[in-house]
Amino acid sequence: MELNVRRLTENDWATLVKWWKQWDFEFIPSKEFLPDNGTGGLIVEKENKPIASVFMYTTNSGVCALGWPLSDRNYKQEDRSQAINLLNIACENVWKKHNGKFLFFWGNNRKYISNLQEIGFKEGDTNYSHLIKQI
C-alpha cells in the first residue's frame, strides 16, 4: 500500500498526544508551544493510518527547524523507516517551495538522527542541553 504525507490538522492532536504518552514523554508540549498552534508540520500515513509526524518551525531566515518527531510506537511494519524518510523529504520539499536553504534538527533521538543522515543531514553539535521555560 502507498504511503501518503499531508499537513497536520487539528484532528491529529489526539493522535499526537497518544504517541507522546506511548513513548513516555515527561513533557507534552501545549499547542501554543508548537508551530501554527499544533498544526505546523507534516504527518505520514498508510491506508489513512498515521505512522509518524514532525513539526516545522519556520523562521524569517533560510532555516527551518524540525522538532518533536513522533511516531506510532506500535507500528512495526517493514516500511517504517521508509515512511520516516518520506516524511523528512517532504519537509525538505515544503521548505524549498518557501525558498528555504537549510533544515535543522535538535534532539537526541538516535534512530531519527540516523534517518536524517540517510537523506543528507550532517551532525553538528553534540552533548547539549535543551531548556524550556514557560512564561
Side-chain angles (χ1 to χ4, degrees):
M1 290 294 151
E2 189 173 316
L3 297 167
N4 178 52
V5 178
R6 63 171 175 79
R7 280 194 55 92
L8 287 167
T9 69
E10 187 70 33
N11 294 332
D12 296 311
W13 186 250
T15 299
L16 301 178
V17 170
K18 180 176 91 174
W19 289 350
W20 273 306
K21 290 178 180 178
Q22 283 179 347
W23 289 103
D24 298 323
F25 272 70
E26 291 182 27
F27 176 79
I28 296 177
S30 67
K31 290 180 182 182
E32 295 84 7
F33 190 83
L34 301 166
D36 295 329
N37 205 34
T39 62
L42 302 177
I43 192 165
V44 62
E45 301 173 318
K46 183 176 180 180
E47 299 175 7
N48 295 319
K49 179 180 175 27
I51 300 169
S53 67
V54 68
F55 288 96
M56 298 178 66
Y57 289 86
T58 59
T59 69
N60 61 357
S61 69
V63 177
C64 173
L66 302 180
W68 302 101
L70 287 169
S71 65
D72 181 347
R73 190 172 189 169
N74 299 317
Y75 187 85
K76 306 288 186 189
Q77 294 186 33
E78 64 183 49
D79 61 356
R80 179 184 179 85
S81 184
Q82 177 188 354
I84 292 171
N85 282 344
L86 179 65
L87 177 67
N88 292 321
I89 291 168
C91 289
E92 183 177 330
N93 290 335
V94 166
W95 193 230
K96 279 181 186 176
K97 287 180 184 175
H98 289 90
N99 297 315
K101 302 295 180 199
F102 303 95
L103 289 176
F104 175 77
F105 172 72
W106 69 95
N108 63 357
N109 183 327
R110 295 309 311 166
K111 189 92 167 152
Y112 186 70
I113 289 169
S114 176
N115 283 104
L116 292 175
Q117 289 172 326
E118 285 179 22
I119 63 166
F121 277 67
K122 305 292 181 212
E123 190 164 37
D125 293 336
T126 59
N127 299 321
Y128 69 94
S129 295
H130 186 176
L131 305 170
I132 301 167
K133 179 180 181 182
Q134 182 174 352
I135 54 173

